[in-house]
Amino acid sequence: MEPPPLPPPTPPECPPAISRTGWWMHLAVLGSYPIVLGIIGHTLKGERTGPILPRDASGLLVMGAVELGIFAVFFLIAWAGSRVTHEQLLLRWRGGVTPVLWGVVYSVALRIGVGIVMAVVFVAGFVLKGVKPEELAEQMRPQTEQLIDARALSDPVYFALSLTFLSFVVAGLREELWRAGVLAALLALFPRLNTDLKGRLVTVGIVALIFGLGHLPQGWGGVAATTVLGFGLGAIIVWHRSIWEAVLAHGFFDATTFALLVALAKLRPDLLPGG
């Protein structure tokens, strides 16, 4: 059973009002957004004396607001080219509280899926390349310390903001709206990809790779993990024809990651980088 095709770039009864140039502009602007941020973060990695996220609650709020503002600028420029619609962005909420339940289920499934894929890559690297397990583990480890100081999460306000504002708005809503926007552009420019599930999954894979490259500051392990995560989130959007299950799954995934970092900081601080 395949999900129905995603909404076409324009309704069949209406003549196309947006040129391919407009959609290419949309794709170039939104597609470059995570890659530009990732390259900047990776370039400045050696110059920073601490993680990307501030260590205090007020700084976290300011940075989150700035991130949302920068994304809004990119998104508005992209919209000016394509005039992408509410339907094309899959913003319709469907099924009452069901998306929330799916979000919880998918967050668990995504964590298991990412873990399995990373384990397979680890075994393959060990068997095929003969890399020492401890060296391979360090190479593959997402460098979360480049993003956040786990000790800052001991502040209750900071922790609450991380579980809510940071996880569900700055990460979940912003990044899934970005994903839906890039998906809409690819399907508008290459409508044949929307004819079957295989084509849509190819599109999801392209978007996931762009998403992964935006996490260069977390190392290549972070790029691999977020690419797998991005593929899963994109598949959720395509299957439900709505971004909200993916937004919530993303939010719950990030929130549980922060909770796990707090637990690790309390129970085994020696396992944290620099702990």
Side-chain angles (χ1 to χ4, degrees), residues 105-242:
V105 172
Y106 284 137
S107 69
V108 175
L110 287 168
R111 191 168 295 280
I112 293 172
V114 170
I116 291 173
V117 172
M118 296 300 284
V120 170
V121 173
F122 179 87
V123 172
F126 175 67
V127 173
L128 299 178
K129 294 188 175 182
V131 182
K132 293 180 180 179
E134 59 273 16
E135 293 179 2
L136 188 58
E138 180 59 27
Q139 292 173 14
M140 292 181 56
R141 178 183 66 82
Q143 297 173 17
T144 56
E145 71 276 10
Q146 296 293 333
L147 176 65
I148 189 169
D149 183 349
R151 287 168 285 273
L153 292 166
S154 60
D155 175 2
V157 176
Y158 191 98
F159 184 50
L161 286 172
S162 299
L163 294 185
T164 54
F165 175 64
L166 194 59
S167 294
F168 287 90
V169 180
V170 179
L173 179 58
R174 175 178 62 114
E175 293 182 5
E176 298 319 309
L177 186 56
W178 168 85
R179 196 181 316 280
V182 178
L183 279 170
L186 286 171
L187 294 176
L189 290 166
F190 307 101
R192 290 185 179 181
L193 291 173
N194 200 21
T195 58
D196 56 23
L197 182 59
K198 181 180 178 181
R200 277 168 262 161
L201 290 180
V202 167
T203 309
V204 165
I206 294 170
V207 179
L209 182 58
I210 298 172
F211 178 71
L213 290 173
H215 292 77
L216 271 174
Q218 296 181 39
W220 288 107
V223 170
T226 50
T227 298
V228 175
L229 176 63
F231 185 87
L233 290 166
I236 291 169
I237 290 176
V238 167
W239 185 259
H240 287 276
R241 300 178 67 235
S242 170

Side-chain angles (χ1 to χ4, degrees), residues 20 31 45 59 63 78 84 88-89 99 101 111 120 122 125 183 185 210 233 238 261 272:
R20 288 178 62 83
K45 185 177 176 179
M63 175 167 274
V84 63
Q88 290 168 315
L89 291 173
L101 301 178
R111 191 168 295 280
V120 170
F122 179 87
L183 279 170
I210 298 172
L233 290 166
V238 167
L261 285 174
L272 290 172

Side-chain angles (χ1 to χ4, degrees), residues 17-71:
I18 302 298
S19 68
R20 288 178 62 83
T21 302
W23 277 111
W24 276 114
M25 171 184 165
H26 173 116
L27 181 60
V29 171
L30 275 192
S32 66
Y33 169 74
I35 295 177
V36 169
L37 294 184
I39 291 173
I40 292 173
H42 185 67
T43 302
L44 299 177
K45 185 177 176 179
E47 301 178 9
R48 289 197 311 267
T49 58
I52 294 173
L53 294 178
R55 292 185 172 94
D56 60 281
S58 59
L60 190 66
L61 273 174
V62 171
M63 175 167 274
V66 169
E67 290 280 351
L68 292 173
I70 292 172
F71 173 71

